[in-house]
Amino acid sequence: MSVGGASSAGRHRGNQGMTRRCANRQKDEARVKKGLILAIETSCDETAAAVVRDGTEVLSNVVSSQMDIHERFGGVVPEVASRKHVETITRIVEEALERANVRLGDLSAVAVTQGPGLVGSLLVGVVAAKALALSARLPLIGVHHIAGHIYANRLAGPLAYPLMALVVSGGHTELVLVERPGVFRVVGNTRDDAVGEAYDKVARALGLPYPGGPHVDRLAAEADGEIVLPRAWLEHDTFDFSFSGLKSAVLHVLNQAAMRGETVETAHLARGFQESVIDVLVTKAIRAAREFDARQLILAGGVAANRGLRAALAKACEEAGIPLSIPPFDYCTDNAAMIAAAAFLKWDAGEFTPLSMKAEPLMSLEDWSVGAASRPASP
């Protein structure tokens, strides 16, 4: 009897184990279907984490800025930035999960900015994401930072392909053709300074605080006059940009005035600089959208928060009959929700990143494209 009883108990325990395994498997399948992604962004001086469902529904988006720390130096100090990331990353991730009311076990994947960016800052996020993915047995997705900026627009509404993206930030100025979801082709690039970098340098010359973009934008809007500056159009058929000459033109105006003992109206010079930048950016973006038959033009990157640029691009697109998408201000500057939005493209395609992933400060956007790994190399 005891033997029979033991066998019955054993079968009962076995059935319980099988039931638990089935329940866990069903839970795993349901979890995967949700597309719930925790993303981490530490490419520069913001420590950010977000939880986003299906690449569009933001459940939480937490950003810790280091702006007040780097302001005294007039720019980001890489070593300081990476140390601050180490100090805050755990707290920011915990807060993102808490605000979203989810646990690690509820997630479908962990995403992180793999590049480009400051290598020390990137490493902090990459190591944190690897640890989370490994401990929770979740897929890992390395994300291109610029893909994140572009897909920040997906958080505002649907996208129409093919689309042309004007990417404007502190380190990038590009025109990117997005032929279909997650497939990128860079058709124009800056040959020297990125537009955000030019804004910071001009702001410094004008005696304005760091970061310079918002201050130049404000002065330009308030100005009742303009010091006209040159436009760098380059070759007639190129979509490339150049802003180093414009920066030099601003310095020339200031130096000439100083030599003559005259005072330059700062607001007028700020307006002249901004008008030159906007004229070139908008004209080339509209021309590229037309040439590549884009169904939509989108603005992306930190400089997308520039009110003068937003207004000028909206007016030009309306006149050209080209639909325009601009992300909300919260999604223009570096954040993790945009990284999750881009990561969803890879998750949906089943393209995950191995735990051997390294931070790539010079990562290629085109090589990151969905399906790029399976496409044959160009001859």
Side-chain angles (χ1 to χ4, degrees):
M1 182 180 293
S2 62
V3 174
S7 298
S8 177
R11 285 194 299 273
H12 179 65
R13 286 194 297 271
N15 290 335
Q16 283 184 321
M18 184 178 296
T19 301
R20 282 196 297 268
R21 286 194 296 273
C22 289
N24 289 336
R25 184 165 59 250
Q26 290 171 350
K27 181 180 178 182
D28 290 341
E29 290 172 353
R31 183 172 67 229
V32 169
K33 290 177 182 177
K34 282 191 297 186
L36 196 62
I37 296 176
L38 167 68
I40 296 172
E41 152 63 25
T42 61
S43 64
C44 190
D45 63 332
E46 279 92 10
T47 312
V51 178
V52 178
R53 178 183 283 116
D54 293 337
T56 58
E57 184 184 354
V58 180
L59 303 185
S60 67
N61 188 36
V62 183
V63 181
S64 175
S65 175
Q66 303 175 18
M67 189 181 301
D68 56 338
I69 298 171
H70 299 282
E71 184 178 0
R72 74 189 76 165
F73 303 110
V76 176
V77 181
E79 293 81 2
V80 174
S82 56
R83 284 200 297 271
K84 291 302 295 182
H85 287 312
V86 171
E87 293 173 8
T88 58
I89 186 68
T90 300
R91 174 175 57 84
I92 295 302
V93 170
E94 289 176 345
E95 186 173 344
L97 290 169
E98 183 178 346
R99 288 190 187 182
N101 194 28
V102 300
R103 297 171 298 177
L104 279 176
D106 299 323
L107 298 171
S108 306
V110 177
V112 64
T113 303
Q114 185 178 359
L118 302 175
V119 65
S121 294
L122 290 168
L123 279 170
V124 177
V126 166
V127 170
K130 284 183 178 182
L132 288 168
L134 183 62
S135 63
R137 297 183 179 180
L138 292 169
L140 177 67
I141 304 173
V143 177
H144 194 285
H145 183 72
I146 298 304
H149 275 305
I150 290 172
Y151 274 87
N153 284 272
R154 187 66 184 87
L155 300 173
L159 302 180
Y161 301 94
L163 63 83
M164 183 61 63
L166 173 60
V167 180
V168 282
S169 69
H172 299 267
T173 304
E174 300 168 345
L175 281 165
V176 181
L177 175 64
V178 187
E179 299 171 297
R180 53 188 183 276
V183 178
F184 307 97
R185 176 184 165 196
V186 178
V187 298
N189 212 331
T190 182
R191 297 183 181 179
D192 39 62
D193 291 346
V195 66
E197 182 183 4
Y199 265 95
D200 286 338
K201 290 179 178 178
V202 167
R204 189 179 304 119
L206 297 177
L208 301 174
Y210 172 86
H215 299 285
V216 174
D217 186 26
R218 175 182 54 80
L219 280 179
E222 296 172 353
D224 58 2
E226 174 188 349
I227 296 175
V228 178
L229 295 173
R231 273 70 166 153
W233 297 110
L234 303 177
E235 302 84 13
H236 75 279
D237 60 343
T238 185
F239 293 113
D240 285 351
F241 302 95
S242 173
F243 296 105
S244 64
L246 178 58
K247 173 196 65 183
S248 298
V250 170
L251 294 175
H252 177 73
V253 170
L254 293 171
N255 291 336
Q256 288 295 307
M259 290 172 62
R260 293 192 296 265
E262 300 173 353
T263 301
V264 174
E265 180 58 55
T266 303
H268 292 178
L269 189 52
R271 181 169 178 177
F273 168 76
Q274 175 145 302
E275 289 296 318
S276 177
V277 169
I278 289 175
D279 192 8
V280 173
L281 289 175
V282 171
T283 300
K284 292 203 172 193
I286 294 292
R287 183 161 62 87
R290 284 173 168 163
E291 181 162 326
F292 290 95
D293 296 322
R295 296 179 58 198
Q296 187 179 35
L297 179 62
I298 69 173
L299 186 60
V303 184
N306 184 288
R307 296 180 186 274
L309 176 58
R310 293 166 79 99
L313 195 58
K315 180 181 178 182
C317 283
E318 183 178 2
E319 293 173 351
I322 301 173
L324 173 66
S325 173
I326 302 177
F329 287 104
D330 287 347
Y331 299 140
C332 290
T333 52
D334 291 353
N335 64 90
M338 70 181 196
I339 300 303
F344 180 77
L345 299 166
K346 292 281 190 174
W347 178 86
D348 196 40
E351 297 182 11
F352 305 123
T353 311
L355 286 172
S356 58
M357 175 186 76
K358 298 179 180 178
E360 295 189 27
L362 300 177
M363 190 176 186
S364 163
L365 176 60
E366 294 176 346
D367 290 346
W368 186 83
S369 294
V370 172
S374 61
R375 291 199 294 267
S378 301

